[in-house]
Amino acid sequence: TSSLTTTSSKINSLLQLHTRFHFYMFKCRFPLKLCPHVFNGTFIGTYEIANLVDTFYKTNLMKFSNESIQTDINSKISLLDIYKSENIALDTSFLNPLVFKQLKEILIDCSLTTVSIDLFTSLPSLHKVTFNTLHFRRLIHLKGIEWIKGINRGLRVNLSDLDDFIKNSKSVK
């Protein structure tokens, strides 16, 4: 555990120096799960991830460890852009709620195998999810749309009343 903490501290220092606005992960290998503390104190405008894959011949996935964390992860990532990746499962081990709790937008231009039903309820600041239409169509044909319900959970808008629609569209976070 101490070597994991030391490694997390070193990576965190690097992230704090270089990721104030844009962070790219094009050719990173993820042989182990990431400790969420790696992102402690980071402020990333756009976090781009590419070249993730989960196939029978190759696996390279960003996953977070599910260890119990007693302290708050003080990270702010505004936009997550996932592209040039294959067979990704969007769940809380990929989008750790402590790391991505301030995430506002996700751009997805890759094939997804599944989206966890409760994923979006654990990301309270998320207000926009953009999919490549071909990948979106494949996903909803394979897995359905049950996971979509979590995006605007708790939002009640009378779509027949233009004033109610405008009032609520400005308050959606």
Side-chain angles (χ1 to χ4, degrees), residues 15-82:
L15 286 173
Q16 287 183 8
L17 290 173
H18 298 289
T19 61
R20 293 292 178 196
F21 302 106
H22 221 96
F23 187 59
Y24 301 97
M25 294 188 86
F26 294 123
K27 299 216 178 202
C28 285
R29 290 188 44 203
F30 296 100
L32 302 172
K33 290 183 177 185
L34 292 172
C35 173
H37 285 287
V38 167
F39 287 88
N40 192 21
T42 59
F43 300 93
I44 301 171
T46 302
Y47 182 21
E48 294 188 28
I49 303 174
N51 300 315
L52 299 178
V53 64
D54 187 16
T55 62
F56 70 93
Y57 58 90
K58 183 178 179 183
T59 300
N60 184 38
L61 295 174
M62 181 183 77
K63 295 281 185 182
F64 286 92
S65 62
N66 291 329
E67 65 187 55
S68 149
I69 298 174
Q70 304 299 326
T71 60
D72 188 34
I73 304 294
N74 183 24
S75 70
K76 182 176 182 186
I77 301 170
S78 296
L79 182 133
L80 176 64
D81 188 1
I82 310 164

Side-chain angles (χ1 to χ4, degrees), residues 95-97 100-101 103 106 118-126:
L95 292 177
N96 185 295
F100 293 100
K101 73 179 173 187
L103 185 65
I106 302 175
D118 62 342
L119 176 68
F120 296 117
T121 58
S122 64
L123 301 171
S125 298
L126 186 67

Side-chain angles (χ1 to χ4, degrees), residues 32-165:
L32 302 172
K33 290 183 177 185
L34 292 172
C35 173
H37 285 287
V38 167
F39 287 88
N40 192 21
T42 59
F43 300 93
I44 301 171
T46 302
Y47 182 21
E48 294 188 28
I49 303 174
N51 300 315
L52 299 178
V53 64
D54 187 16
T55 62
F56 70 93
Y57 58 90
K58 183 178 179 183
T59 300
N60 184 38
L61 295 174
M62 181 183 77
K63 295 281 185 182
F64 286 92
S65 62
N66 291 329
E67 65 187 55
S68 149
I69 298 174
Q70 304 299 326
T71 60
D72 188 34
I73 304 294
N74 183 24
S75 70
K76 182 176 182 186
I77 301 170
S78 296
L79 182 133
L80 176 64
D81 188 1
I82 310 164
Y83 59 97
K84 291 185 182 177
S85 298
E86 294 181 51
N87 302 328
I88 306 304
L90 283 186
D91 56 19
T92 55
S93 67
F94 183 80
L95 292 177
N96 185 295
L98 295 172
V99 173
F100 293 100
K101 73 179 173 187
Q102 295 188 41
L103 185 65
K104 295 183 182 336
E105 183 176 356
I106 302 175
L107 303 174
I108 302 169
D109 189 7
C110 66
S111 65
L112 299 176
T113 56
T114 187
V115 177
S116 176
I117 291 175
D118 62 342
L119 176 68
F120 296 117
T121 58
S122 64
L123 301 171
S125 298
L126 186 67
H127 69 271
K128 186 174 183 181
V129 181
T130 305
F131 286 88
N132 173 303
T133 54
L134 295 175
H135 297 302
F136 180 74
R137 182 177 180 195
R138 180 179 170 262
L139 175 68
I140 62 173
H141 280 264
L142 291 173
K143 298 297 179 180
I145 60 171
E146 188 68 26
W147 54 271
I148 293 175
K149 293 178 182 177
I151 293 175
N152 286 325
R153 194 172 142 219
L155 182 65
R156 302 287 181 253
V157 179
N158 180 357
L159 297 177
S160 300
D161 180 3
L162 183 59
D163 292 332
D164 189 40
F165 176 76

